[in-house]
């Protein structure tokens, strides 16, 4: 029998490589639907640069609904309805060349980036972010995506997740955060290393007030019931 051509050998190598790549990405996403993330890529980078970050996982039932709604109001108001990408916001951001200000990155995209990737704006990283965003939306319900987001988002310099932030900045537990505390935490999400929830600048206070108004317009905690499990 003649030996396989180099094209067939190359195809087999590529298929095996694809299978390994899929296994290394799909399996962790599936596992993390139920298993609390012990850390994230952003936390590991912080650990390497400045020491161990503050982080403690808490389940959905111990997260304030006000914080969940505040995060949606501040970061991604179409979160309950889109499939990972807010295309109208992305088009506006590209047209106006103000992606950072417009907040075109959805909560799902931020979870993909924070858990699995690294900071930066390269095409390779954006492509991987899109890939993981599709995986997350396919494998996780909306509530799980939001639960993980509230646990791994950075709310202060080296302070990750609602539990660490509530204790550090308000001396309370994450389930007892009220609308004001929740809106202050959401207000610093664009730049948690510079903006302070515990000592808010005039900008953070104004943004917090805007977020609280948006929370009311979105329906408050009732918005979360519409997402189901």
């Amino acid at each position: 029998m003649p030996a396989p051509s180099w094209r067939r050998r190359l195809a087999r190598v590529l298929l095996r490589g694809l299978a390994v790549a899929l296994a290394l990405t799909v399996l962790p996403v599936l596992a993390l639907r139920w298993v609390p993330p012990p850390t994230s890529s952003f936390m590991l980078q912080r650990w390497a640069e400045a020491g161990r970050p503050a982080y403690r996982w808490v389940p959905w039932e111990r997260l304030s609904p006000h914080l969940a709604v505040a995060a949606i109001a501040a970061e991604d108001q179409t979160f309950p309805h889109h499939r990972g990408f807010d295309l109208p916001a992305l088009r506006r951001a590209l047209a106006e060349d103000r992606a950072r200000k417009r907040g075109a990155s959805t909560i799902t995209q931020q979870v993909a980036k924070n858990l699995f990737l690294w900071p930066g704006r390269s095409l390779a990283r954006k492509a991987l972010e899109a890939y993981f965003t599709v995986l997350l939306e396919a494998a996780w319900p909306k509530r799980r995506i939001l639960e993980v987001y509230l646990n791994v988002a950075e709310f202060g310099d080296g302070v990750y997740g609602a539990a660490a932030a509530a204790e550090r900045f308000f001396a309370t537990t994450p389930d007892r955060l009220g609308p004001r505390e929740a809106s202050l935490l959401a207000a610093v999400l664009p730049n948690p290393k510079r903006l302070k929830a515990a000592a808010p600048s005039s900008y953070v206070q104004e943004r917090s007030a805007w977020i609280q108004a948006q929370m009311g317009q979105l329906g408050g905690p009732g918005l979360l019931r519409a997402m189901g499990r």
Side-chain angles (χ1 to χ4, degrees):
M1 180 178 294
S5 69
W6 68 268
R7 291 186 179 86
R8 290 183 180 179
R9 291 196 297 270
L10 178 60
R12 289 176 183 175
V13 170
L14 291 176
L15 286 174
R16 289 171 183 169
L18 178 61
V20 171
L22 287 173
L24 292 176
T25 54
V26 173
L27 293 180
V29 168
L30 291 176
L32 290 174
R33 175 172 176 171
W34 294 279
V35 178
T39 186
S40 71
S41 65
F42 274 42
M43 284 185 239
L44 290 173
Q45 179 177 335
R46 162 73 189 196
W47 200 333
E49 293 175 350
R52 184 174 183 175
Y55 168 66
R56 181 169 61 83
W57 171 271
V58 290
W60 177 264
E61 293 75 16
R62 293 172 56 194
L63 291 167
S64 167
H66 299 298
L67 182 60
V69 178
I72 294 173
E75 295 291 292
D76 184 5
Q77 294 194 9
T78 63
F79 172 72
H81 313 294
H82 65 61
R83 297 302 300 168
F85 305 94
D86 186 349
L87 297 181
L90 182 58
R91 284 193 291 267
R92 290 194 301 270
L94 292 173
E96 299 176 19
D97 195 26
R98 295 192 304 175
R100 291 182 181 178
K101 291 184 180 180
R102 297 291 301 186
S105 182
T106 66
I107 284 176
T108 313
Q109 288 175 276
Q110 293 181 55
V111 171
K113 177 182 66 176
N114 291 349
L115 274 183
F116 302 111
L117 303 174
W118 62 91
R121 300 177 64 82
S122 69
L123 288 177
R125 206 227 62 179
K126 294 300 290 184
L128 286 171
E129 178 185 300
Y131 170 71
F132 276 106
T133 297
V134 171
L135 284 184
L136 290 173
E137 286 281 345
W140 296 5
K142 286 288 188 179
R143 195 176 84 170
R144 179 60 174 178
I145 295 171
L146 188 55
E147 178 185 31
V148 172
Y149 177 72
L150 295 176
N151 272 284
V152 303
E154 188 176 17
F155 290 102
D157 190 12
V159 180
Y160 292 85
E167 293 165 4
R168 176 75 60 87
F169 303 131
F170 301 114
T172 189
T173 53
D175 58 315
R176 301 186 68 179
L177 292 167
R180 180 178 179 276
E181 293 87 356
S183 65
L184 285 170
L185 289 175
V188 307
L189 286 170
N191 193 344
K193 289 181 171 58
R194 183 175 64 85
L195 304 176
K196 310 295 181 184
S201 63
S202 58
Y203 168 79
V204 171
Q205 293 182 42
E206 291 173 6
R207 181 167 168 79
S208 169
W210 178 84
I211 290 170
Q212 289 187 67
Q214 295 298 303
M215 291 165 66
Q217 292 184 21
L218 289 171
L223 176 68
L224 306 177
R225 291 192 289 272
M227 294 193 312
R229 299 182 62 85

Short mmCIF file of all heavy atoms in Angstrom, two decimals, residues 4 12 62 73 87 95-97 103 118 134 155-156 160 164 171 174-175 178 184 187 191 193 196-197 211-212 214 221:
data_model
loop_
_atom_site.label_atom_id
_atom_site.label_comp_id
_atom_site.label_asym_id
_atom_site.label_seq_id
_atom_site.Cartn_x
_atom_site.Cartn_y
_atom_site.Cartn_z
N PRO A 4 0.96 7.35 2.77
CA PRO A 4 0.10 8.52 2.66
C PRO A 4 0.88 9.71 2.12
O PRO A 4 2.05 9.90 2.43
CB PRO A 4 -0.36 8.77 4.10
CG PRO A 4 -0.15 7.49 4.81
CD PRO A 4 1.03 6.83 4.13
N ARG A 12 -3.83 15.13 8.89
CA ARG A 12 -3.98 14.39 10.15
C ARG A 12 -3.38 15.16 11.32
O ARG A 12 -3.96 15.21 12.41
CB ARG A 12 -3.33 13.02 10.01
CG ARG A 12 -4.09 12.06 9.10
CD ARG A 12 -3.32 10.75 8.93
NE ARG A 12 -3.99 9.86 8.00
CZ ARG A 12 -3.50 8.71 7.59
NH1 ARG A 12 -2.31 8.30 8.04
NH2 ARG A 12 -4.19 7.95 6.75
N ARG A 62 -25.52 34.17 47.63
CA ARG A 62 -24.91 35.06 48.61
C ARG A 62 -24.38 36.34 47.95
O ARG A 62 -23.57 37.06 48.54
CB ARG A 62 -23.79 34.32 49.34
CG ARG A 62 -24.31 33.19 50.22
CD ARG A 62 -23.18 32.36 50.78
NE ARG A 62 -22.23 33.17 51.53
CZ ARG A 62 -21.01 32.77 51.90
NH1 ARG A 62 -20.61 31.55 51.55
NH2 ARG A 62 -20.21 33.55 52.58
N ALA A 73 -26.40 47.33 34.55
CA ALA A 73 -26.69 48.73 34.22
C ALA A 73 -25.44 49.47 33.77
O ALA A 73 -25.48 50.29 32.85
CB ALA A 73 -27.32 49.43 35.43
N LEU A 87 -23.99 43.75 19.14
CA LEU A 87 -23.57 44.22 17.82
C LEU A 87 -23.90 45.69 17.57
O LEU A 87 -23.06 46.41 17.01
CB LEU A 87 -24.18 43.33 16.74
CG LEU A 87 -23.73 41.86 16.77
CD1 LEU A 87 -24.38 41.08 15.65
CD2 LEU A 87 -22.21 41.76 16.70
N ALA A 95 -17.80 53.11 14.78
CA ALA A 95 -18.09 54.30 14.00
C ALA A 95 -17.56 55.56 14.68
O ALA A 95 -17.08 56.48 14.04
CB ALA A 95 -19.59 54.43 13.75
N GLU A 96 -17.65 55.57 16.02
CA GLU A 96 -17.25 56.77 16.75
C GLU A 96 -15.82 56.68 17.26
O GLU A 96 -15.31 57.63 17.84
CB GLU A 96 -18.20 56.99 17.94
CG GLU A 96 -19.64 57.20 17.48
CD GLU A 96 -20.60 57.34 18.66
OE1 GLU A 96 -20.11 57.62 19.77
OE2 GLU A 96 -21.81 57.17 18.46
N ASP A 97 -15.18 55.48 17.07
CA ASP A 97 -13.80 55.28 17.50
C ASP A 97 -13.64 55.57 18.98
O ASP A 97 -12.68 56.18 19.44
CB ASP A 97 -12.83 56.16 16.69
CG ASP A 97 -11.38 55.69 16.86
OD1 ASP A 97 -11.19 54.49 17.15
OD2 ASP A 97 -10.47 56.52 16.75
N GLY A 103 -18.16 51.22 25.90
CA GLY A 103 -18.36 49.96 26.59
C GLY A 103 -18.90 48.87 25.69
O GLY A 103 -19.88 48.22 26.00
N TRP A 118 -5.48 37.45 28.48
CA TRP A 118 -4.52 38.40 29.03
C TRP A 118 -4.93 39.79 28.57
O TRP A 118 -5.65 39.95 27.58
CB TRP A 118 -3.11 38.05 28.53
CG TRP A 118 -2.96 38.14 27.04
CD1 TRP A 118 -2.56 39.22 26.31
CD2 TRP A 118 -3.24 37.10 26.08
NE1 TRP A 118 -2.55 38.94 24.97
CE2 TRP A 118 -2.97 37.64 24.80
CE3 TRP A 118 -3.67 35.78 26.18
CZ2 TRP A 118 -3.13 36.91 23.63
CZ3 TRP A 118 -3.84 35.05 25.01
CH2 TRP A 118 -3.56 35.60 23.77
N VAL A 134 -18.28 32.72 22.58
CA VAL A 134 -19.24 31.80 21.97
C VAL A 134 -19.37 30.54 22.81
O VAL A 134 -20.48 30.04 23.05
CB VAL A 134 -18.80 31.46 20.53
CG1 VAL A 134 -19.67 30.34 19.95
CG2 VAL A 134 -18.89 32.70 19.64
N PHE A 155 -12.55 44.96 41.46
CA PHE A 155 -13.26 46.12 41.99
C PHE A 155 -12.33 47.11 42.67
O PHE A 155 -12.77 48.16 43.13
CB PHE A 155 -14.33 45.67 42.98
CG PHE A 155 -15.50 44.96 42.33
CD1 PHE A 155 -15.61 43.58 42.38
CD2 PHE A 155 -16.49 45.67 41.67
CE1 PHE A 155 -16.68 42.93 41.79
CE2 PHE A 155 -17.57 45.04 41.09
CZ PHE A 155 -17.67 43.66 41.14
N GLY A 156 -11.07 46.79 42.75
CA GLY A 156 -10.05 47.65 43.34
C GLY A 156 -8.70 47.06 43.02
O GLY A 156 -8.61 45.93 42.52
N TYR A 160 -10.48 41.26 43.93
CA TYR A 160 -11.27 40.57 42.91
C TYR A 160 -12.52 39.96 43.52
O TYR A 160 -12.47 39.25 44.52
CB TYR A 160 -10.44 39.47 42.25
CG TYR A 160 -9.31 40.01 41.40
CD1 TYR A 160 -8.08 40.34 41.98
CD2 TYR A 160 -9.46 40.21 40.04
CE1 TYR A 160 -7.04 40.84 41.21
CE2 TYR A 160 -8.43 40.70 39.26
CZ TYR A 160 -7.22 41.02 39.85
OH TYR A 160 -6.20 41.52 39.09
N ALA A 164 -14.57 39.93 48.37
CA ALA A 164 -13.40 40.69 48.79
C ALA A 164 -13.69 42.19 48.77
O ALA A 164 -13.26 42.93 49.66
CB ALA A 164 -12.21 40.36 47.90
N ALA A 171 -16.91 46.91 54.71
CA ALA A 171 -16.94 46.12 55.95
C ALA A 171 -18.26 45.36 56.08
O ALA A 171 -18.89 45.34 57.15
CB ALA A 171 -16.73 47.04 57.16
N PRO A 174 -21.16 40.28 50.83
CA PRO A 174 -21.67 40.62 49.50
C PRO A 174 -23.18 40.55 49.38
O PRO A 174 -23.75 41.20 48.51
CB PRO A 174 -20.97 39.61 48.59
CG PRO A 174 -20.56 38.49 49.48
CD PRO A 174 -20.25 39.12 50.79
N ASP A 175 -23.84 39.77 50.22
CA ASP A 175 -25.29 39.68 50.13
C ASP A 175 -25.98 40.89 50.77
O ASP A 175 -27.18 41.10 50.55
CB ASP A 175 -25.78 38.39 50.82
CG ASP A 175 -25.36 38.32 52.28
OD1 ASP A 175 -24.19 38.62 52.57
OD2 ASP A 175 -26.21 37.98 53.12
N GLY A 178 -26.24 47.24 49.50
CA GLY A 178 -27.43 47.94 49.04
C GLY A 178 -27.22 48.60 47.70
O GLY A 178 -26.15 48.52 47.11
N LEU A 184 -21.64 52.01 43.52
CA LEU A 184 -20.27 52.49 43.65
C LEU A 184 -19.27 51.45 43.15
O LEU A 184 -18.30 51.78 42.47
CB LEU A 184 -19.97 52.85 45.11
CG LEU A 184 -20.58 54.15 45.63
CD1 LEU A 184 -20.41 54.26 47.14
CD2 LEU A 184 -19.94 55.37 44.94
N ALA A 187 -19.42 51.40 39.49
CA ALA A 187 -18.90 52.63 38.90
C ALA A 187 -17.40 52.59 38.67
O ALA A 187 -16.88 53.30 37.81
CB ALA A 187 -19.26 53.83 39.79
N ASN A 191 -12.02 51.22 35.51
CA ASN A 191 -10.61 51.43 35.88
C ASN A 191 -10.44 51.26 37.39
O ASN A 191 -10.24 52.22 38.11
CB ASN A 191 -10.14 52.82 35.45
CG ASN A 191 -8.62 52.96 35.51
OD1 ASN A 191 -7.93 52.15 36.14
ND2 ASN A 191 -8.10 53.98 34.87
N LYS A 193 -8.11 50.22 39.25
CA LYS A 193 -6.83 50.57 39.86
C LYS A 193 -6.74 52.06 40.18
O LYS A 193 -5.97 52.47 41.05
CB LYS A 193 -5.68 50.15 38.94
CG LYS A 193 -5.47 48.64 38.86
CD LYS A 193 -4.32 48.28 37.96
CE LYS A 193 -3.99 46.77 38.07
NZ LYS A 193 -5.14 45.93 37.72
N LYS A 196 -11.94 54.67 43.02
CA LYS A 196 -12.08 54.13 44.36
C LYS A 196 -13.56 54.09 44.78
O LYS A 196 -14.22 55.12 44.78
CB LYS A 196 -11.29 54.96 45.38
CG LYS A 196 -9.83 55.25 44.99
CD LYS A 196 -9.01 53.99 44.93
CE LYS A 196 -7.56 54.29 44.57
NZ LYS A 196 -6.76 53.06 44.40
N ALA A 197 -14.03 52.91 45.15
CA ALA A 197 -15.41 52.79 45.63
C ALA A 197 -15.56 53.31 47.04
O ALA A 197 -16.59 53.90 47.39
CB ALA A 197 -15.85 51.32 45.57
N ILE A 211 -25.86 55.15 37.46
CA ILE A 211 -26.09 53.70 37.51
C ILE A 211 -27.35 53.39 38.31
O ILE A 211 -28.17 52.55 37.91
CB ILE A 211 -24.86 52.98 38.09
CG1 ILE A 211 -23.70 53.05 37.09
CG2 ILE A 211 -25.19 51.52 38.41
CD1 ILE A 211 -22.37 52.58 37.67
N GLN A 212 -27.53 54.05 39.46
CA GLN A 212 -28.73 53.81 40.26
C GLN A 212 -29.99 54.15 39.48
O GLN A 212 -31.00 53.44 39.57
CB GLN A 212 -28.66 54.62 41.55
CG GLN A 212 -27.64 54.10 42.55
CD GLN A 212 -27.71 54.83 43.87
OE1 GLN A 212 -28.68 54.72 44.61
NE2 GLN A 212 -26.65 55.57 44.19
N GLN A 214 -30.31 54.02 36.22
CA GLN A 214 -30.47 52.97 35.22
C GLN A 214 -30.99 51.68 35.84
O GLN A 214 -31.78 50.96 35.22
CB GLN A 214 -29.12 52.72 34.54
CG GLN A 214 -28.59 53.89 33.72
CD GLN A 214 -29.51 54.25 32.58
OE1 GLN A 214 -29.81 53.41 31.73
NE2 GLN A 214 -29.97 55.49 32.56
N PRO A 221 -34.17 44.34 40.86
CA PRO A 221 -33.94 42.90 40.95
C PRO A 221 -34.87 42.05 40.10
O PRO A 221 -34.57 40.90 39.78
CB PRO A 221 -34.15 42.62 42.45
CG PRO A 221 -33.78 43.91 43.10
CD PRO A 221 -34.27 44.98 42.18
#
